[in-house]
Amino acid sequence: MMFNCKPILIVCLLLVTVCTFTISCSEQRRTTVKNYPTGVPFVYNNKIELKGNLPKDEKKRLLTALENYWDDSLLARRVQQFLIYYRLKDPPILDSTNISRTQTFMRGYLNSQGYYSPAFNSRIDTTLFQRRNAPLQKRATVTMIIEPGRNMQIDSVYYSLIDSNLQKLALAGSRDSKLKKGTPYSKEVIAGELDRLVTQYRQNGYYLLTRDQLVAEGDTTDKALLQLTVDPFELAGRLAAAAERRKNNPTVDLAVFQRGEYYKSHYNDSSLIDTAALKPYRIGNVYYYPETKTTEIPDSLMSSNDFKTLERRQFTMLYKEGTFVDRPLRDHNFLRPGTLYNEDLYYKTVNSFSNIGAWARVDSRSVIHGDSVDFYMFMVPAIRQNITYDLEASYNTGDVIGAANSLFGIASSVTYRHRNVARRAIQSATSLRGGVELNIDNSNNGNLLQTTQVSASQRFVFPRIMFPFSDRNRHRLDARQTIFSINGSYTNRRDYYELRSMTTNWGYEWRKRNRLWSYKLLNVELYALDTLQGLRDAFVTNPLLRTAFNTGSVVGQQFSYQVSYPDKNRPAVNNFFRFAAEEAGLYMAPFKTMHDRIYRYVKFEGEYKRTIPFRKTTLALRTYGGIGISYNSNKEKFGNTLPFFKQFIAGGPNSMRAWGLRQLGLGSSLLSDTSGSFRDRYGDMQLEANVEYRYPVATMGSVRIGGAFFADMGNIWNIRKTASNPNSEFNLGRLGKDVAIGVGTGIRFDFSYFLIRLDLGIKLKDPARQENNGWLNLTRFTWRNDEFVVKDATDPSGQRTINRNNYAVQLGIGLPF
């Protein structure tokens, strides 16, 4: 489809002109003030200046936090509107006496962060501003100038708890403590250590112990002052030296006490000691009510005698209708009678039942009997069966095969779910889907119906690990399940091909804390393809399509591992790593007669993402690499590459955004760029790196609008050299020429429950661009590139010019990575 770029260029120029003019206006004029006091100065803006040699990250952290400690009578609440405008309503009258109150609030916060000698100063700048026919405004900007001084550091930490078991546990877990010599002091660090101790104790039987039973005390006394002396001059020198040390290198000694010891020694009041909280408890009886209704009151159920009981060694099940058997309870109960109470195992039990899907909610009650705790679990079943319907629609321009230019697709699906198959909490989903593609411009011989597709799938999720593996070590995992699925589909692409497929797999998923594993022990994919005349004609112009569209089957296994974790020193920074591996053909290796009918390959993928939040913005980084190696014995039929449905692709809204979907690569090959109709690219190897800087723009109602600048770098390649497609294979010496680079900007509309993203990418470096070694020539920039001319017998001139865009517009849902 021909595309006129002049309107886009005009709109872009207008936007740039408007934005330049608007931004050039002073910030005073871009701010509208409503209901301001006349004749007196009012607070128009607040600023904070931090002095001193502070680390960059620490300075940003303090600036962000201190913004929350302005006194209300000295705070100008400006709201951003329409991207670059501001609105200030009901600003307070400037009263310099309120500055001291703000300084008190900010000093208290800095003290809590270990800055005990901050110095404060302030500055008030007043400007006059007047709009047409409006009263004169006396705008005042209040600037708080703060020099925090040196941050106090922890010099030593010791534990002094009366209970020998508590003392032993504290010392055993001290290596996990964040209270180390040289660590900056703050109340958050102290609170974190007390929370860590409470968690450790509650993992070892102390069911009732809370932070109220622990006290942390800091001592800033200089030890040199404790030495006795009668010489007044020596004492004065020590005092002066101690004052200098406190200024240049303030330190504190920390001690953690048991509440009983602390109150007894400081207040001589033993009545304040909670003896029940300072002893370990064991798990008593565990009772499950798996048929609890939402209207039933747990306390009433505990005293009722209307239940049937099923006693097991680890628990007792109470029921009326027999909706569930006891197997799911056995598999997901981690509370063992007679063992010490462990809070982790308690939450693990509750979360495990909540994640199965058979129960909508799990509540619990506990009753203490002497040194043991009985637990009552009230489990509200989810809706057992339901049917859902979905309708999808899409619009595409430029078909991958054939001459169609404009296709409209519509699909509908119906899914039946059963959440308690065989009363064992097994999840079942049965789906039927049908869709068509309509050729709305009638360019394909006037045929309206372009593509027809129907499919059916069945999926079972078993809430435990099943054969051939054992589920004995389930207590070490937070969640695990066995998955079986089967799917069949039929696709009729008019005049080109008919594709029938059947896929089935049996696999496992298990999770421990922030780590998730997935292993498909058996993955079988069967394909049958009938090529029609249109596809056979495409083979003539692009011979590589013959091995891409062939008949074969996949019999293999798949594995993946992913983990998400924060930085040790910067918890707000999130890291994500994923590794995946797939092989096909190993199971069928002994059956040589099958080698001509199955694909044989290995494939590996790795991905790392890092998100770094700043005060108001975010930096997102991503790297990705993948490689697949085919070792088919029948090269004539399967070729030397992976099957096309297993190969890597680049371009689109979540990859190289300056290129269309599947429109980048291979390497610096020109075959796909100069081909007639089929221009999709598939490769056996991919390298990609992305960086994106995200920033807020405005808020309109409940919709948050954000922007982004991004850069993408990467490409796809084949592993082996192909004579018919030169420069498509990976070559380290040619990597600089093969790498594609795209830059661009985008806007995001965040509706909380979903995000719409629009990105504009420019091909900064295109391996298929012939001039300037692939780099974009900004002095001769054009939106389209028409440097390729190919022979075409259907054209009156005998040749045809191929136009390629130097840009791409991507519409996506959710963030790209």
Side-chain angles (χ1 to χ4, degrees):
M1 182 180 70
M2 297 301 296
F3 188 80
N4 189 355
C5 294
K6 290 184 179 179
I8 293 181
L9 180 58
I10 294 173
V11 171
C12 291
L13 291 176
L14 287 175
L15 288 175
V16 171
T17 303
V18 172
C19 291
T20 303
F21 173 76
T22 306
I23 294 174
S24 64
C25 297
S26 66
E27 189 244 354
Q28 294 270 359
R29 293 186 177 276
R30 288 188 283 114
T31 302
T32 302
V33 184
K34 298 290 186 180
N35 303 332
Y36 58 89
T38 59
V40 295
F42 61 85
V43 181
Y44 170 73
N45 197 8
N46 303 98
K47 294 182 180 179
I48 298 175
E49 294 181 6
L50 281 181
K51 304 295 184 180
N53 188 21
L54 290 173
K56 186 177 180 180
D57 291 341
E58 177 69 1
K59 187 175 183 178
K60 288 183 178 180
R61 185 183 73 87
L62 292 179
L63 282 173
T64 303
L66 287 170
E67 291 287 353
N68 300 318
Y69 289 89
W70 286 96
D71 185 73
D72 289 341
S73 60
L74 207 65
L75 178 62
R77 292 182 172 87
R78 297 202 303 171
V79 179
Q80 191 177 36
Q81 290 184 325
F82 304 110
L83 307 183
I84 56 176
Y85 288 98
Y86 296 89
R87 184 171 184 266
L88 176 61
K89 185 178 180 182
D90 300 322
I93 298 176
L94 175 65
D95 187 352
S96 58
T97 59
N98 294 326
I99 292 178
S100 60
R101 297 175 59 184
T102 296
Q103 291 178 349
T104 300
F105 296 150
M106 292 185 176
R107 180 179 286 106
Y109 169 75
L110 290 173
N111 290 165
S112 72
Q113 301 302 302
Y115 295 93
Y116 282 94
S117 302
F120 286 84
N121 202 348
S122 61
R123 183 177 70 247
I124 300 176
D125 301 312
T126 304
T127 58
L128 302 179
F129 181 84
Q130 188 173 22
R131 296 186 184 274
R132 182 179 299 179
N133 299 326
L136 181 68
Q137 300 179 20
K138 296 183 178 181
R139 299 178 171 183
T141 299
V142 182
T143 304
M144 197 68 66
I145 306 170
I146 308 173
E147 187 170 357
R150 294 295 299 272
N151 181 243
M152 180 174 288
Q153 295 186 341
I154 298 173
D155 187 57
S156 64
V157 181
Y158 68 93
Y159 302 90
S160 178
L161 299 114
I162 298 176
D163 189 286
S164 59
N165 193 37
L166 293 179
Q167 178 75 1
K168 180 180 178 181
L169 291 172
L171 295 176
S174 60
R175 59 187 176 185
D176 298 326
S177 172
K178 293 184 178 180
L179 299 183
K180 305 290 185 182
K181 183 179 178 66
T183 302
Y185 170 87
S186 70
K187 288 187 177 180
E188 286 85 354
V189 173
I190 305 301
E193 172 62 9
L194 295 182
D195 288 338
R196 185 194 68 81
L197 286 173
V198 171
T199 299
Q200 185 177 7
Y201 293 148
R202 291 175 70 88
Q203 290 173 350
N204 289 272
Y206 290 87
Y207 176 69
L208 296 178
L209 192 143
T210 64
R211 263 187 53 179
D212 292 338
Q213 276 71 46
L214 299 177
V215 178
E217 187 177 78
D219 185 3
T220 59
T221 303
D222 195 314
K223 296 181 177 63
L225 299 178
L226 300 179
Q227 300 178 5
L228 298 177
T229 180
V230 295
D231 187 344
F233 296 100
E234 182 181 355
L235 180 59
R238 290 183 182 179
L239 291 173
E244 187 68 19
R245 283 193 294 271
R246 282 197 300 270
K247 179 180 179 181
N248 297 327
N249 188 28
T251 60
V252 61
D253 297 322
L254 292 176
V256 178
F257 296 95
Q258 190 176 323
R259 183 184 182 189
E261 176 187 4
Y262 183 85
Y263 277 89
K264 189 174 182 180
S265 60
H266 286 70
Y267 303 103
N268 195 25
D269 188 355
S270 301
S271 63
L272 296 174
I273 301 176
D274 187 355
T275 56
L278 298 175
K279 68 177 183 179
Y281 290 85
R282 295 187 177 274
I283 296 175
N285 299 315
V286 181
Y287 301 95
Y288 285 103
Y289 296 78
E291 301 172 348
T292 304
K293 294 180 174 57
T294 56
T295 56
E296 293 180 317
I297 301 174
D299 293 335
S300 300
L301 297 179
M302 293 170 59
S303 59
S304 175
N305 295 322
D306 296 337
F307 291 97
K308 302 175 183 178
T309 61
L310 179 63
E311 295 186 2
R312 291 290 183 252
R313 185 165 59 92
Q314 305 292 353
F315 61 88
T316 300
M317 184 174 76
L318 296 94
Y319 64 97
K320 293 180 180 179
E321 301 174 5
T323 307
F324 294 89
V325 298
D326 64 309
R327 183 57 190 261
L329 305 181
R330 282 189 287 151
D331 292 334
H332 295 268
N333 172 53
F334 300 98
L335 300 175
R336 301 291 185 262
T339 61
L340 284 174
Y341 168 77
N342 187 320
E343 188 173 62
D344 283 356
L345 294 180
Y346 165 77
Y347 284 115
K348 185 176 179 179
T349 299
V350 174
N351 293 334
S352 183
F353 286 119
S354 300
N355 294 333
I356 289 176
W359 289 278
R361 191 177 76 246
V362 179
D363 297 323
S364 68
R365 297 288 188 274
S366 61
V367 177
I368 296 177
H369 296 291
D371 293 338
S372 64
V373 186
D374 294 343
F375 290 94
Y376 297 78
M377 299 291 184
F378 303 96
M379 309 162 70
V380 179
I383 298 175
R384 188 173 183 180
Q385 303 177 66
N386 72 314
I387 298 177
T388 58
Y389 303 90
D390 294 302
L391 181 65
E392 303 172 9
S394 63
Y395 178 72
N396 304 303
T397 59
D399 191 27
V400 296
I401 299 178
N405 287 322
S406 299
L407 298 176
F408 177 74
I410 185 170
S412 178
S413 64
V414 56
T415 303
Y416 164 71
R417 290 182 174 86
H418 194 301
R419 294 180 175 83
N420 187 24
V421 176
R423 301 186 301 160
R424 294 174 177 265
I426 299 171
Q427 309 297 294
S428 170
T430 306
S431 298
L432 298 175
R433 187 178 187 274
V436 296
E437 272 186 348
L438 304 178
N439 181 21
I440 58 178
D441 65 357
N442 293 326
S443 60
N444 188 21
N445 300 323
N447 296 318
L448 177 64
L449 186 62
Q450 187 74 17
T451 305
T452 304
Q453 185 181 54
V454 293
S455 65
S457 65
Q458 175 64 52
R459 174 183 170 95
F460 291 103
V461 179
F462 305 88
R464 63 190 181 96
I465 299 295
M466 300 178 65
F467 59 90
F469 300 105
S470 172
D471 203 18
R472 295 178 181 177
N473 296 325
R474 59 183 180 272
H475 62 282
R476 299 180 181 177
L477 304 174
D478 295 330
R480 73 266 187 236
Q481 57 189 17
T482 301
I483 302 173
F484 171 76
S485 65
I486 184 170
N487 175 275
S489 66
Y490 168 78
T491 302
N492 186 321
R493 176 68 167 87
R494 191 184 186 102
D495 298 331
Y496 288 93
Y497 62 83
E498 291 183 2
L499 178 65
R500 294 172 294 278
S501 67
M502 176 70 72
T503 63
T504 183
N505 54 68
W506 178 276
Y508 308 91
E509 287 185 2
W510 63 97
R511 178 175 56 84
K512 186 173 183 180
R513 296 186 181 92
N514 59 333
R515 293 175 171 83
L516 177 65
W517 293 264
S518 175
Y519 175 52
K520 292 182 179 179
L521 176 65
L522 180 63
N523 179 62
V524 179
E525 304 176 21
L526 307 177
Y527 297 92
L529 178 70
D530 294 335
T531 58
L532 305 180
Q533 188 60 45
L535 186 58
R536 289 194 289 269
D537 292 342
F539 289 161
V540 177
T541 57
N542 193 345
L544 293 179
L545 294 179
R546 292 185 180 275
T547 56
F549 287 86
N550 52 51
T551 302
S553 302
V554 174
V555 180
Q557 50 193 328
Q558 299 174 351
F559 171 80
S560 69
Y561 165 78
Q562 65 184 48
V563 58
S564 179
Y565 59 94
D567 277 5
K568 284 187 177 180
N569 299 324
R570 298 180 62 188
V573 176
N574 186 63
N575 302 273
F576 172 85
F577 172 75
R578 179 181 67 89
F579 171 78
E582 179 180 357
E583 75 80 23
L586 182 62
Y587 288 145
M588 308 305 294
F591 309 99
K592 297 187 181 300
T593 57
M594 296 290 293
H595 291 183
D596 290 342
R597 288 185 284 173
I598 63 169
Y599 293 104
R600 306 177 71 191
Y601 62 86
V602 291
K603 181 180 177 182
F604 303 95
E605 296 177 78
E607 182 180 28
Y608 172 74
K609 294 186 289 188
R610 181 176 174 87
T611 306
I612 307 173
F614 298 102
R615 185 180 178 186
K616 292 183 178 180
T617 60
T618 301
L619 181 65
L621 308 171
R622 172 183 178 263
T623 58
Y624 173 85
I627 186 172
I629 302 174
S630 171
Y631 59 98
N632 295 304
S633 57
N634 190 338
K635 303 297 183 183
E636 182 178 353
K637 177 180 179 180
F638 296 117
N640 290 321
T641 65
L642 299 176
F644 79 96
F645 49 85
K646 295 293 183 179
Q647 288 185 298
F648 300 97
I649 60 173
N654 297 314
S655 181
M656 303 290 295
R657 283 164 281 184
W659 283 262
L661 184 65
R662 299 186 294 272
Q663 296 301 298
L664 174 60
L666 300 164
S668 51
S669 167
L670 303 180
L671 180 63
S672 295
D673 293 276
T674 58
S675 64
S677 58
F678 189 85
R679 300 182 116 184
D680 282 18
R681 301 103 189 270
Y682 303 89
D684 289 345
M685 178 179 176
Q686 182 175 9
L687 295 176
E688 188 171 316
N690 316 87
V691 58
E692 183 171 284
Y693 180 73
R694 302 164 183 165
Y695 55 91
V697 175
T699 300
M700 296 183 180
S702 61
V703 180
R704 294 189 299 272
I705 303 175
F709 295 106
F710 62 83
D712 304 321
M713 180 173 64
N715 208 332
I716 60 173
W717 296 266
N718 276 332
I719 297 298
R720 298 180 176 91
K721 190 173 183 178
T722 305
S724 59
N725 194 4
N727 298 330
S728 65
E729 78 282 357
F730 180 79
N731 187 316
L732 190 60
R734 206 178 58 243
L735 182 61
K737 177 176 177 55
D738 288 354
V739 167
I741 302 175
V743 296
T745 184
I747 190 167
R748 288 91 169 88
F749 299 91
D750 188 354
F751 296 87
S752 297
Y753 47 92
F754 74 97
L755 182 145
I756 297 178
R757 169 170 51 89
L758 183 65
D759 291 328
L760 170 65
I762 302 294
K763 298 177 181 178
L764 183 63
K765 182 179 180 297
D766 186 359
R769 188 183 289 131
Q770 298 298 288
E771 64 174 9
N772 202 23
N773 200 26
W775 289 94
L776 181 67
N777 191 335
L778 296 178
T779 60
R780 294 188 298 166
F781 174 77
T782 58
W783 290 99
R784 306 203 73 176
N785 184 310
D786 56 358
E787 59 187 346
F788 293 134
V789 178
V790 297
K791 295 181 179 180
D792 189 350
T794 62
D795 193 278
S797 63
Q799 61 184 19
R800 176 170 51 90
T801 300
I802 295 181
N803 293 308
R804 298 183 301 112
N805 291 335
N806 285 324
Y807 71 96
V809 178
Q810 309 286 357
L811 178 65
I813 303 296
L815 294 172
F817 52 86

